[in-house]
Amino acid sequence: MNSRVEHSRSHASAGDIARYVVAGLLLVGGLVAFYWFEGQWPMPLRVLAVVGGVAAALVVFLTSTKGFQTREFLSEARFELRKVVWPTRQEAMRMSWVVMIVVVIISLMLAGFDLVIQWLIRLLLGN
């Protein structure tokens, strides 16, 4: 468990807002370039414009406060993933079979309930 105290800031600074706007413009700019230069640029170059716009927007975003919090969260998530005890292949296969069998049993039960309810409604309506 993380022992650091988290301070919640509900407002973003002017610098952060400017970074968000620039990141959004870079992202939109890459997408606009993709469609604007259709027929003029070859497809790989247009795709590179989108990838470049996304990468530049990500770099700008990661310099903001929320970007720092995002990097910190991903770092902590990676640290926590190292603690996970992953199942072996045999355990995973066994549990997969259990899940499939339970799904079949429950679907058959629901189909049975559906047939009983249909029969009762037909009986009540006189059909």
Side-chain angles (χ1 to χ4, degrees), residues 42-64:
M43 179 62 87
L45 190 59
R46 290 174 44 219
V47 170
L48 190 62
V50 174
V51 171
V54 169
L58 190 61
V59 167
V60 171
F61 171 75
L62 289 176
T63 62
S64 70

Side-chain angles (χ1 to χ4, degrees), residues 19-52:
R19 286 183 183 100
Y20 300 150
V21 169
V22 169
L25 289 174
L26 287 168
L27 184 63
V28 169
L31 292 172
V32 166
F34 180 81
Y35 290 107
W36 187 270
F37 294 108
E38 186 175 6
Q40 298 173 6
W41 290 2
M43 179 62 87
L45 190 59
R46 290 174 44 219
V47 170
L48 190 62
V50 174
V51 171

Side-chain angles (χ1 to χ4, degrees), residues 4 19-20 74 90 98 109 117:
R4 286 183 273 169
R19 286 183 183 100
Y20 300 150
L74 292 174
Q90 183 182 6
V98 168
M109 286 175 49
I117 291 171

Side-chain angles (χ1 to χ4, degrees), residues 72-115:
E72 188 175 350
F73 171 77
L74 292 174
S75 172
E76 290 176 10
R78 186 174 178 199
F79 177 74
E80 291 296 326
L81 277 174
R82 290 184 187 141
K83 296 180 186 179
V84 174
V85 178
W86 298 102
T88 63
R89 179 178 172 85
Q90 183 182 6
E91 291 171 335
M93 290 298 291
R94 189 178 314 133
M95 292 310 297
S96 296
W97 279 110
V98 168
V99 168
M100 286 187 273
I101 291 169
V102 169
V103 165
V104 168
I105 290 170
I106 290 177
S107 65
L108 290 174
M109 286 175 49
L110 288 174
F113 290 146
D114 185 46
L115 289 174

Side-chain angles (χ1 to χ4, degrees), residues 109-124:
M109 286 175 49
L110 288 174
F113 290 146
D114 185 46
L115 289 174
V116 169
I117 291 171
Q118 266 183 355
W119 178 77
L120 288 173
I121 289 175
R122 285 186 181 149
L123 184 67
L124 290 172

